[in-house]
Amino acid sequence: ALAFATSRVPESAVTTSLILLMMLALPAVGLRAQEGVVEQQSALERELMGEIQCTCGGCRLSAGTCGMPNCEGKAGQRAKLKALIAQGLTRDQILAEFVKEYGSDILSQPPDSAFNRLAWALPYGIGLAGIGLVGGVAVRWARRKDAIVPEPPVASTRPDLEDRLDDELRELD
């Protein structure tokens, strides 16, 4: 037994063994995580469970993705949702019922209305206008430097000073 334990094992055999062990262990972990009874859900129920937040207080997720164990908020919302669907209410009517009972914080995203679109787009519009303003000012300042050209020196209008300057320059040579 000692000789077997100290023998050399090829590198690929170790890697293959680890991969096989992981492949055998992962399905068992996945099956254990899916405790509970599988319930049939309609497409409308699945969609609405994704739009309504869970009321358990332990998470800030939608009721469809709440992962709290034995979540009473999720179960209560699912039961209420099934009852409203059974009454034949439309999607918007069901959302209105939840908003009436819990307030607008129950929705995982704000309703798609004109005011909410404006509230979403306004900061981006202000940001783009600010970038345009800064760019315009920068271009204007850059052009201003090009427009300011120094004027050539004006020749003196006094001939006696010009003669004196010429005499001084000749003496320097």
Side-chain angles (χ1 to χ4, degrees):
L2 186 59
F4 179 73
T6 59
S7 66
R8 298 191 124 225
V9 178
E11 290 178 22
S12 60
V14 174
T15 306
T16 305
S17 300
L18 287 175
I19 289 174
L20 285 174
L21 283 173
M22 286 178 21
M23 287 175 59
L24 292 173
L26 286 179
V29 172
L31 289 176
R32 232 181 299 128
Q34 295 178 358
E35 297 173 5
V37 179
V38 176
E39 295 183 24
Q40 292 288 340
Q41 288 184 339
S42 66
L44 177 62
E45 185 180 352
R46 250 191 322 276
E47 179 184 346
L48 289 171
M49 287 295 283
E51 293 183 24
I52 297 170
Q53 286 192 352
C54 184
T55 58
C56 67
C59 68
R60 293 292 293 168
L61 299 173
S62 69
T65 58
C66 178
M68 297 293 288
N70 301 325
C71 180
E72 294 174 12
K74 179 179 178 177
Q77 286 178 330
R78 178 170 281 144
K80 181 174 180 174
L81 187 60
K82 282 186 182 220
L84 292 173
I85 290 173
Q87 290 177 9
L89 297 179
T90 64
R91 178 185 175 281
D92 292 334
Q93 290 171 333
I94 293 172
L95 288 176
E97 284 290 324
F98 274 95
V99 168
K100 186 169 73 173
E101 185 175 337
Y102 297 103
S104 63
D105 290 342
I106 194 71
L107 300 177
S108 60
Q109 60 185 359
D112 190 19
S113 64
F115 176 75
N116 287 334
R117 281 187 226 141
L118 177 66
W120 179 85
L122 190 64
Y124 292 105
I126 291 172
L128 288 174
I131 290 171
L133 180 68
V134 168
V137 168
V139 167
R140 196 166 166 199
W141 281 352
R143 288 184 181 164
R144 182 183 296 171
K145 289 181 182 177
D146 293 342
I148 300 174
V149 178
E151 295 184 20
V154 178
S156 175
T157 55
R158 293 180 52 190
D160 59 327
L161 290 178
E162 286 182 26
D163 291 340
R164 185 173 165 194
L165 181 62
D166 288 339
D167 290 341
E168 293 288 331
L169 289 173
R170 268 188 236 115
E171 288 177 13
L172 287 176
D173 290 336

